[in-house]
């Protein structure tokens, strides 16, 4: 829907609110007369924008109402809060050369194709067009057409390295309807998705997934949001995750005005509303190529000889962790609770330990309190030494508490050895 971008830009110029929603399970491709349908929708949308004044509203809603025997019926609804049409003139609206008030032409210009021609085009597609209006309150046009279902898929099965089941997406939009629609679109092609309704909420979710070492592969952010817009949200997310994820701005508006600022903030690409899976995957592939997301972002540290402080009260768990760490020739010192861990860290010179593995549930002093005391200590490296949470608590609230206490990562038990070793390689300075 490239014209969707055009009309949203026109609404912005006139200071009109514009919304576009897809309702129901709508695929990316259908078979029909694209030219005729586009003519009709452009004419109706154009009139809606033209006859709506500043601070008004235009809604464009597409819904699939039926599906049977390889055909799908759609309703295209254009609703505005413009000047409206009188009850007396409404029955004449689709008559040839009809016009309610000739003075409107001087103020608003002509009505494009004319509603008589628009209705004829809809009839040629075996469709129907209906209108409801009230003078001074607005107009609603409903176009109903039936299209053939298409066998064309929104994704290429031979897309190489891109495995949809491994592609986790965060959708960020203050419009809950848009989020739900996007989630449905992505789930239909096997993509896992989560959503946030504000920039602030998105940043918190990104931090939690980053701490768990389960990063989103793709973050799709709406440009126009209250409090924090999409560009600022992207900027703050980049400060947390670096190049860990691809970031795409989703907007119904023309993005030319913000492209330089957005790229500087770390945005990889742009995509127009409403969201279609095929478009999103194409942009994601391009972002992967440009940012080389799968490549290491930093040189990994050789772990041989690195000294780890392990705070763990369960002897069996401590022995397992020691075996894992010694596989890479690391030295390990064990503290039986958080209080002992704090004392051991404080009693050694700065730089003695290269990282701390902190169990969260321990007697005497738990991992959160111990981490807080280490971070507040006057040691030269008390604020910089990597501290990694080891816990059976995997809820988001637990991860948030870990991050607020000063932990750098949050690993759920049983800890995967390869994940732990990778974190240590990336977090311990070379």
């Amino acid at each position: 829907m490239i014209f969707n971008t055009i009309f949203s830009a026109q609404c912005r110029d006139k200071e009109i609110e514009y919304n576009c929603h897809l309702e129901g399970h709508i695929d990316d491709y259908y078979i029909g007369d694209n030219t005729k349908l586009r003519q009709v929708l452009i004419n109706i949308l154009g009139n809606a924008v033209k006859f709506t004044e500043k601070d008004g509203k235009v809604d464009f809603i597409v819904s699939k109402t039926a599906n049977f025997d390889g055909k799908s019926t759609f309703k295209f609804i254009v609703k505005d809060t413009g000047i409206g049409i009188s009850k007396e003139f409404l029955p004449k609206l689709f008559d040839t050369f009809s016009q309610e008030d000739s003075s409107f032409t001087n103020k608003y210009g002509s009505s494009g194709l004319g509603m008589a021609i628009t209705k004829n085009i809809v009839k040629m597609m075996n469709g129907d067009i209906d209108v409801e209006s009230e003078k001074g309150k607005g107009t609603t046009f409903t176009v109903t057409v039936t299209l053939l279902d298409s066998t064309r898929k929104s994704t290429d099965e031979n897309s190489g390295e891109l495995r949809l089941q491994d592609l986790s997406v965060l959708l960020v939009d203050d419009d809950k309807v848009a989020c739900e629609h996007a989630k449905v679109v992505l789930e239909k092609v096997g993509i896992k998705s989560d959503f946030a309704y504000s920039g602030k909420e998105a940043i918190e979710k990104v931090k939690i997934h980053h701490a768990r070492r389960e990063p989103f592969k793709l973050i799709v952010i709406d440009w126009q949001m209250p409090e924090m817009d999409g560009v600022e949200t992207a900027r703050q997310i980049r400060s947390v995750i670096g190049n860990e994820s691809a970031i795409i701005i989703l907007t119904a508006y023309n993005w030319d005005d913000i492209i330089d600022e957005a790229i500087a903030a770390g945005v990889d690409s742009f995509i127009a509303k409403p969201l279609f899976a095929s478009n999103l995957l194409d942009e994601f592939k391009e972002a992967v190529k440009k940012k080389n997301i799968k490549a290491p972002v930093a040189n990994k540290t050789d772990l041989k000889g690195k000294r780890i402080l392990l705070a763990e009260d369960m002897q069996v768990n401590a022995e397992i962790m020691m075996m894992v760490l010694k596989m890479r020739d690391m030295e390990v010192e064990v503290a039986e609770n958080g209080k002992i861990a704090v004392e051991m860290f404080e009693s050694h010179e700065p730089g003695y330990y290269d990282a701390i593995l902190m169990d969260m549930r321990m007697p005497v002093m738990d991992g959160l309190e111990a981490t807080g005391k280490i971070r507040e200590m006057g040691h030269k490296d008390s604020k910089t030494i990597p501290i990694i949470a080891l816990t059976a608590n995997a809820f988001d609230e637990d991860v948030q508490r870990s991050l607020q206490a000063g932990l750098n990562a949050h690993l759920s038990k049983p800890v995967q050895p390869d994940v732990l070793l990778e974190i240590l390689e990336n977090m311990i300075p070379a």
Side-chain angles (χ1 to χ4, degrees):
M1 293 187 192
I2 188 64
F3 60 87
N4 197 38
T5 304
I6 297 170
F7 288 114
S8 63
Q10 291 181 7
C11 286
R12 183 180 59 173
D13 293 341
K14 288 188 66 174
E15 298 183 48
I16 298 170
E17 180 184 346
Y18 179 83
N19 296 296
C20 176
H21 294 301
L22 304 185
E23 297 179 350
H25 296 277
I26 299 176
D27 293 326
D28 287 2
Y29 302 101
Y30 292 90
I31 300 171
D33 196 324
N34 177 57
T35 301
K36 288 187 176 66
L37 184 58
R38 184 173 299 202
Q39 278 181 306
V40 168
L41 295 177
I42 285 177
N43 192 51
I44 296 174
L45 277 165
N47 287 336
V49 175
K50 186 181 299 181
F51 296 119
T52 301
E53 300 288 356
K54 177 183 175 182
D55 297 325
K57 184 179 180 182
V58 174
D59 290 321
F60 179 36
I61 303 163
V62 182
S63 63
K64 185 166 75 171
T65 59
N67 177 255
F68 178 74
D69 195 25
K71 301 181 182 69
S72 294
T73 300
F74 291 88
K75 282 189 176 180
F76 299 88
I77 301 170
V78 178
K79 184 185 300 185
D80 67 61
T81 59
I83 61 175
I85 303 168
S86 67
K87 290 182 179 179
E88 295 74 22
F89 181 75
L90 202 55
K92 305 175 185 178
L93 178 65
F94 296 110
D95 292 347
T96 306
F97 302 121
S98 64
Q99 188 170 24
E100 182 176 10
D101 187 340
S102 60
S103 65
F104 288 167
T105 303
N106 295 329
K107 182 175 181 180
Y108 297 104
S110 66
S111 58
L113 286 174
M115 296 316 301
I117 298 175
T118 300
K119 183 172 184 177
N120 286 335
I121 293 174
V122 173
K123 291 297 183 183
M124 289 170 64
M125 293 187 290
N126 296 317
D128 191 26
I129 184 168
D130 185 46
V131 59
E132 296 177 2
S133 187
E134 187 174 347
K135 191 71 173 177
K137 292 190 176 180
T139 303
T140 300
F141 279 93
T142 302
V143 176
T144 304
V145 296
T146 299
L147 305 174
L148 294 174
D149 295 337
S150 173
T151 57
R152 181 178 177 184
K153 300 300 181 183
S154 60
T155 57
D156 183 359
E157 294 179 355
N158 300 315
S159 56
E161 297 181 2
L162 188 59
R163 288 167 46 87
L164 299 185
Q165 62 269 32
D166 297 333
L167 181 56
S168 58
V169 179
L170 176 64
L171 305 162
V172 188
D173 197 326
D174 62 301
D175 185 338
K176 293 185 178 182
V177 174
C179 277
E180 291 290 351
H181 163 70
K183 187 176 178 67
V184 169
V185 168
L186 296 178
E187 285 179 348
K188 285 175 65 179
V189 295
I191 298 174
K192 297 178 294 183
S193 63
D194 193 1
F195 43 80
Y197 299 129
S198 69
K200 182 179 179 182
E201 184 184 354
I203 292 165
E204 287 303 310
K205 288 201 170 189
V206 167
K207 286 180 178 178
I208 289 169
H209 280 253
H210 180 70
R212 284 176 166 165
R213 287 310 184 262
E214 299 172 352
F216 295 107
K217 297 290 180 65
L218 174 61
I219 303 172
V220 182
I221 310 173
D222 184 43
W223 172 21
Q224 297 284 5
M225 296 188 293
E227 297 181 14
M228 185 186 299
D229 68 16
V231 174
E232 180 57 28
T233 301
R235 182 180 291 110
Q236 294 197 29
I237 287 175
R238 280 285 179 234
S239 70
V240 174
I241 65 171
N243 282 341
E244 190 173 67
S245 307
I247 298 179
I248 294 176
I249 289 287
L250 177 68
T251 178
Y253 300 100
N254 189 319
W255 50 73
D256 290 346
D257 296 340
I258 62 159
I259 188 167
D260 292 336
E261 180 189 3
I263 291 174
V267 173
D268 297 301
S269 189
F270 302 84
I271 192 169
K273 283 185 172 181
L275 182 67
F276 289 96
S278 58
N279 295 347
L280 182 64
L281 293 172
D282 287 343
E283 292 299 330
F284 175 68
K285 291 175 189 176
E286 288 302 313
V288 169
K289 290 178 184 177
K290 287 191 292 185
K291 303 290 282 191
N292 198 17
I293 293 168
K294 293 184 179 180
V297 297
N299 293 326
K300 293 185 177 181
T301 299
D302 184 359
L303 298 178
K304 183 177 181 178
K306 299 298 181 183
R307 187 179 289 109
I308 308 299
L309 173 57
L310 172 62
E312 172 63 74
D313 64 304
M314 298 292 292
Q315 184 178 351
V316 173
N317 291 344
E319 289 176 354
I320 292 172
M321 291 303 300
M322 290 175 68
M323 288 175 57
V324 170
L325 298 171
K326 288 182 177 180
M327 286 169 53
R328 298 291 292 273
D329 295 324
M330 284 180 272
E331 299 178 15
V332 187
E333 296 183 9
V334 180
E336 296 175 359
N337 59 55
K339 184 174 183 294
I340 296 174
V342 172
E343 293 170 350
M344 290 174 65
F345 180 81
E346 188 174 27
S347 66
H348 291 91
E349 70 278 5
Y352 179 79
Y353 294 110
D354 294 291
I356 301 173
L357 302 182
M358 186 75 74
D359 183 39
M360 290 292 98
R361 289 190 173 184
M362 294 182 290
V364 185
M365 183 184 294
D366 65 23
L368 289 178
E369 186 179 354
T371 299
K373 289 186 177 297
I374 290 173
R375 291 301 189 206
E376 294 167 2
M377 205 177 289
H379 252 240
K380 185 178 179 181
D381 61 346
S382 62
K383 294 189 182 302
T384 58
I385 186 170
I387 307 179
I388 300 162
L390 308 176
T391 176
N393 298 334
F395 296 108
D396 286 356
E397 294 82 1
D398 300 309
V399 181
Q400 286 177 325
R401 283 194 286 269
S402 296
L403 294 174
Q404 291 164 5
L407 287 129
N408 300 98
H410 187 107
L411 297 184
S412 299
K413 292 182 177 179
V415 176
Q416 300 298 316
D418 55 339
V419 175
L420 173 61
L421 295 173
E422 183 179 5
I423 288 175
L424 292 173
E425 287 175 334
N426 290 328
M427 285 192 172
I428 295 176

